[in-house]
Amino acid sequence: MANDTLTIKDNRTGKEYEVPIENDTIKAMDLRQIKVNDADFGMMSYDPGFKNTANTKSTITLVDGGNGILRYRGYPIEQLAESSTFLEVAYLILNGELPSKDAYEKWVYDITHHTIVHENIKDLMSAFRYDAHPMGMFISTVAALSTFYSDSGDIFNEEARDLNITRLIAKVPTIAAFSYRHLMGFPYKLPDNNLSYTGNFLSMMFKMAELRYEPNPALERALDVLFILHADHEQNCSTTTMRTIGSSQADPYSALAGAAGALYGPLHGGANEKVLRMLREIGDVKNVPDYVERAKKGEFRLMGFGHRVYKNYDPRAKFIKKVAEDVFEVTGRSPLIDIAVELERIALEDDYFVERKLYPNVDFYSGIIYEAMGFPVSIFPVLFAVPRTVGWLAQWQEMLADKEQPIARPRQVYLGEGERDYVAMDKR
Ligand code: ACO
């Protein structure tokens, strides 16, 4: 008998089955042969939330949650955050290798020259209510973009696909900035092609009456690093949504709008917004112990704590603490950081959090940095969606090329009523 197989004995029938093991997994479809009788549908695996189900093979991002490791295409996140730029990392994630100088310059040029949106996008965004949440505006506007490009659904045409990927990466900061300007009641500002990706984003956000906006280099770099840290995170909730929608061969704008919708939730990318609101609610370092006790009683969760995959310190959260110090040197120290540090200290010493391996995640400190940089709280999930656009697109592109990926369509265990006859309303 080969070693790389799994023997399963069905005690209902006494029958044994041998299924192949590949990459430490078995194929769920191999379970289907396990039947009590010929009429039996066959065995399935039951896995709510996909806690132990690999949905794909991927070569993009490695998250080793037990050891607190994150790598894009093999490169450790710490090295990329230290030495690379967001657009270089975007190229790496999408193409698998770091770019040559020429390839990098072309890539930056292409992104820079696709940042403008159609004038009708402005009209569309102006139609939102004055207090619309920026993430709602972002999601809807990204979806609307598909209607502006007749080739958006031409997903198996490499040229069209690359162009739409470029468009999306180039335009998401513009849409994000417009959503902020709408919220504030400020006029929309056009992109400035002389600035970097993040410098231009800051310009579109914060430029007022001055002729040219000069981003602070330390803040521009801090934002670039934050974007690198958020660029991809393998098969999380929003990426799975991107792949699921993409598996029906929908255009990338529609799929990305869905992914952004998944990111919006407070258990995912909406957590950074909730962290800030939580820290404000705590209000003072002296209130931290009481707040932690209430979280332990199950009154609420500590936002920015815990992760489905990391059962160790999130490596992004470690790096973000350093970024926070760089930002505070420019902006002054946020009073919320002291509450955050105390919350982390108490939680990491507490048995409840230790036993459950609950560590601060990427969202715990990012919100404090964004606030210090002048971003309003409600735009935080949008600040997550902008860099994650790269990861979503890379994962979508990988899925399209993967011959093993059919349309996503999970099974269910039906526990409802058996067949019964309709009862007229006056007889119920
Ligand atoms: N505060 C208090 N208790 C928590 C927390 C928390 N933040 N997170 C998990 N727990 C507890 C649960 O109550 C549960 O305890 P129990 O075993 O006594 O029932 C245990 O830890 C395991 O929790 P699960 O919900 O099973 O863990 P899961 O992997 O499903 O959830 C999640 C992960 C959603 C991130 C969760 O930790 C959470 O809700 N965190 C707060 C929200 C947050 O910060 N989300 C951002 C995630 S990072 C990102 O998306 C970028």
Side-chain angles (χ1 to χ4, degrees), residues 51 230 233 236 263 265-272 275 295-296 300-309 311 314 316 352-353 356 358 361-364 384 388:
K51 285 196 172 191
H230 285 86
H233 212 236
N236 51 75
L263 187 75
L267 297 189
H268 191 10
N272 53 12
V275 170
K296 282 162 62 180
F300 42 70
R301 291 191 166 199
L302 280 193
M303 284 295 139
F305 263 78
H307 197 275
R308 172 63 58 78
V309 181
K311 300 301 169 195
D314 181 337
R316 300 168 300 173
Y352 176 95
F353 293 88
R356 290 167 179 78
L358 298 170
N361 58 49
V362 67
D363 285 328
F364 190 64
F384 196 153
R388 184 54 61 84

Side-chain angles (χ1 to χ4, degrees), residues 314-329:
D314 181 337
R316 300 168 300 173
K318 248 187 218 167
F319 208 91
I320 275 183
K321 266 173 121 175
K322 280 200 234 164
V323 178
E325 294 308 330
D326 296 343
V327 168
F328 294 157
E329 263 183 36

Side-chain angles (χ1 to χ4, degrees), residues 282 284-297 300 302 339 342-347 350 353:
I282 296 173
D284 196 292
V285 170
K286 70 176 185 332
N287 300 329
V288 169
D290 181 50
Y291 199 83
V292 171
E293 283 309 312
R294 289 172 60 201
K296 282 162 62 180
K297 280 189 210 140
F300 42 70
L302 280 193
I339 301 174
E342 181 65 357
L343 190 61
E344 180 185 339
R345 189 188 68 75
I346 293 190
D350 193 294
F353 293 88

Side-chain angles (χ1 to χ4, degrees), residues 9-25:
K9 183 170 178 196
D10 184 347
N11 292 319
R12 298 171 302 175
T13 58
K15 275 199 208 159
E16 278 196 4
Y17 303 83
E18 194 185 340
V19 296
I21 299 174
E22 192 193 338
N23 303 312
D24 285 335
T25 62

